[in-house]
Amino acid sequence: MFSKKFQRKYALTDQGVENTKKGAFWTVIVNLVVMGGVGILYLLMSGFMETLTKGAPLPGIVPAVGLVLLFVLLSFVTHLQQYKATYGLVYNEVKTTRLSLAERLRKLPLGYFGKRDLADLTETIMGDVNRMEHVWSHVLGYLYGAYISTGVIAICLLLYDWRLAIACLWGVPAAFGLLFGSRKTAARSAQRTKKAAVRVSDGIQEALENIREIRATNQEERYLEGLNQKIDEHERVMIRGELGTGLFVNAASVIMRMGVATTILVGADLILSGSIDFMLLFLFLLVITRIYAPFDQSLALIAEMFISQVSADRMMEIYETPVAEGSGTFAPKDHDIVFEHVGFAYDEKEVLHDVSFTAKEGEVTALVGPSGSGKSTCARLAARLWDIDKGAVKVGGVDISTVDPEVLLRDYSMVFQDVVLFDDTVMENIRLGRHGATNEEVRAAAKAANCEEFIRRLPEGYDTPIGENGARLSGGERQRISIARALLKDAPIILLDEATASLDVENETKVQEALSHLLAGKTVLVIAHRMRTVEAADKIVVLAEGRVAEEGSPAELMARGGLFCRMVELQQQSAGWRLES
């Protein structure tokens, strides 16, 4: 139970817990070996004092040198093992943690990302893990090892002379008591600092993503001024936090060091009363230097351990968020998509209410309706990119909430208005549709998607890097690459979300030609605002305010004169709009 609490408190993996135990063990050994060196020094000094005061023969040089050499050898070996058990193992823990966080994020439902912005998640994976890496390598093993070794030494000192032991050791619990008493203050300061850091990251990311819009509207000066204010606020919050932490750490260090003064005072009194001799006091003064040494670094870093709780909690929040899970097999009898009384809400705001319809295999089913009616939400629920709150979504009679999303999505191809491309070649961006596809298969998909026309104009053809998110391509060219991906995947279910909405007439025609190759014989769910885009659909489902307002073929809906008919008439009217001088 303690191990699990410890693991969660510091966001450690199972191997990380074992690494911390190893680090603490070797820290104990190192501290005891160093204390053994103090014992050797005491023995040598005692021999010299015997010689000076009582005329006893000098200690043998060979045994003395042997003890010193043995101490140096043990010290080297134990320090080396301590280094390997802390720094060496911890750096591997950092890699494992980042990979496990990324793997966890990969499995989380998209609804989670709607509540967290990119800068915040980046700060967790990079900034928070960096902070915890320092705690794992510099604090945990050393601190817990110091606790254990100091406890062992304290017992020995109490058995030797309890009066000097108390005078020597009282400062340690007092100093740590002060620091532990400041935990809540340190945690609040860390939360404020983290929020300020995320605001800075948000501002920088926003500036980079919207640099064209900022320049186009001549807002550079105003935007940079706002960003400077965020950076200045982060600096102020950080300085205040570090000042408060520094005050507690330095106060604790002073209190601990007062143990030296009390040891001298108590020791002097005991010598004057004849209870002890000078060499015993000398022994305790030597021991003090080594008892305090392990805590010198720990006192400075224990405050960081308290602050790290904020980072650990942020990491654990990702680990503890439920992932979208399900069966590893998916064998539907067909690929009809059936919505049965589906309800769904974003952050408790319900956007779909009792939605029921069927998209049949081999047919094109179009979702239309006003903005905000729930069209895109339906498409994402159909692929289990989010999980529904009520009802069921079934494919071929199988409830998709029971299927692992990665297994389910093998049967889906998606083409969205906002195409995501990678800073790689044309060939590799298309090959993303099916890992392991041959170059010939990629070229065949590109040809079917009408990509060859512009690929031939590129400097290196299929091997041309296209820049970040396809920056070297036009919107229509990027869209055709996404269709080529979908063609290469050749999945039985196709989801199209405004795939041609932002294209000019020429590019729209080419993209629609490419889509005709993709859609043949598949279950197709199309989302469109342009009514002429869905004229050839087999079935239209009209959504309004999160409900199914009407459904049927285009001809049937026009004959009814309902919402669909009104939308068509409005778009026909807007098509005749012109600017008059």
Side-chain angles (χ1 to χ4, degrees), residues 80-325:
L80 180 61
Q81 291 300 319
Q82 182 192 35
Y83 180 86
K84 290 180 179 179
T86 51
Y87 299 103
L89 293 176
V90 162
Y91 293 143
N92 194 54
E93 173 77 359
V94 173
K95 179 190 75 174
T96 302
T97 298
R98 284 208 172 101
L99 289 174
S100 64
L101 282 172
E103 180 68 11
R104 188 74 181 185
L105 288 171
R106 185 175 67 85
K107 294 182 178 181
L108 291 178
L110 282 183
Y112 173 82
F113 298 94
K115 302 173 186 176
R116 297 281 298 271
D117 60 52
L118 180 61
D120 193 25
L121 291 172
T122 303
E123 178 66 20
T124 298
I125 294 175
M126 301 305 296
D128 290 332
V129 174
N130 274 346
R131 180 178 290 279
M132 293 311 301
E133 176 269 322
H134 202 256
V135 171
W136 297 333
S137 61
H138 288 74
V139 181
L140 291 183
Y142 286 102
L143 187 61
Y144 283 93
Y147 286 159
I148 296 169
S149 59
T150 301
V152 172
I153 295 166
I155 292 171
C156 295
L157 293 179
L158 286 167
L159 293 174
Y160 213 84
D161 190 295
W162 65 270
R163 296 161 299 183
L164 283 175
I166 292 174
C168 170
L169 295 170
W170 71 270
V172 174
F176 277 87
L178 176 63
L179 276 181
F180 276 91
S182 69
R183 273 188 304 182
K184 291 183 179 179
T185 302
R188 286 194 295 268
S189 174
Q191 288 174 341
R192 289 192 292 269
T193 302
K194 182 61 67 177
K195 288 178 181 177
V198 170
R199 284 195 292 270
V200 171
S201 297
D202 272 336
I204 294 172
Q205 180 183 326
E206 190 177 47
L208 293 174
E209 289 179 348
N210 299 289
I211 189 66
R212 287 180 297 182
E213 287 76 8
I214 293 171
R215 286 187 176 181
T217 54
N218 295 321
Q219 297 294 315
E220 298 100 318
E221 186 174 340
R222 184 186 67 83
Y223 207 92
L224 287 175
E225 182 182 350
L227 187 56
N228 283 333
Q229 289 175 356
K230 292 177 181 178
I231 294 172
D232 290 341
E233 176 60 20
H234 180 218
E235 184 180 10
R236 283 193 294 270
V237 170
M238 184 178 291
I239 289 173
R240 285 198 298 268
E242 291 186 354
L243 179 62
T245 300
L247 288 174
F248 281 111
V249 168
N250 284 290
S253 182
V254 169
I255 289 172
M256 189 173 68
R257 292 293 179 183
M258 287 175 66
V260 177
T262 55
T263 301
I264 293 173
L265 290 174
V266 172
D269 182 67
L270 291 174
I271 289 173
L272 291 174
S273 66
S275 300
I276 63 171
D277 59 15
F278 172 76
M279 288 308 298
L280 183 60
L281 175 59
F282 176 72
L283 171 63
F284 271 81
L285 290 175
L286 285 177
V287 170
I288 282 177
T289 62
R290 292 313 313 159
I291 284 182
Y292 293 162
F295 292 117
D296 284 339
Q297 183 184 25
S298 297
L299 277 177
L301 294 175
I302 194 170
E304 182 179 353
M305 188 173 74
F306 297 151
I307 294 171
S308 73
Q309 282 301 120
V310 175
S311 296
D313 289 342
R314 285 162 56 87
M315 291 165 61
M316 292 308 300
E317 190 267 337
I318 294 176
Y319 283 128
E320 293 172 355
T321 300
V323 297
E325 297 176 316

Side-chain angles (χ1 to χ4, degrees), residues 27-37 71 148-150 152-153:
T27 297
V28 171
I29 299 301
V30 165
N31 290 340
L32 293 179
V33 167
V34 171
M35 196 58 69
F71 167 73
I148 296 169
S149 59
T150 301
V152 172
I153 295 166

Side-chain angles (χ1 to χ4, degrees), residues 212 419-422 424-427 429-430 451 453-459 461-462 464-482 485 503 507:
R212 287 180 297 182
V419 180
V420 177
L421 300 177
F422 293 89
D424 206 334
T425 64
V426 173
M427 179 74 73
N429 268 281
I430 297 176
C451 294
E453 169 202 345
F454 70 84
I455 292 176
R456 281 197 298 267
R457 297 197 303 267
L458 296 175
Y462 283 90
T464 304
I466 59 175
E468 185 175 354
N469 203 26
R472 299 179 184 176
L473 304 178
S474 70
E477 290 166 349
R478 290 198 298 268
Q479 194 66 270
R480 277 179 274 171
I481 283 183
S482 73
R485 280 180 185 168
L503 303 180
N507 271 311

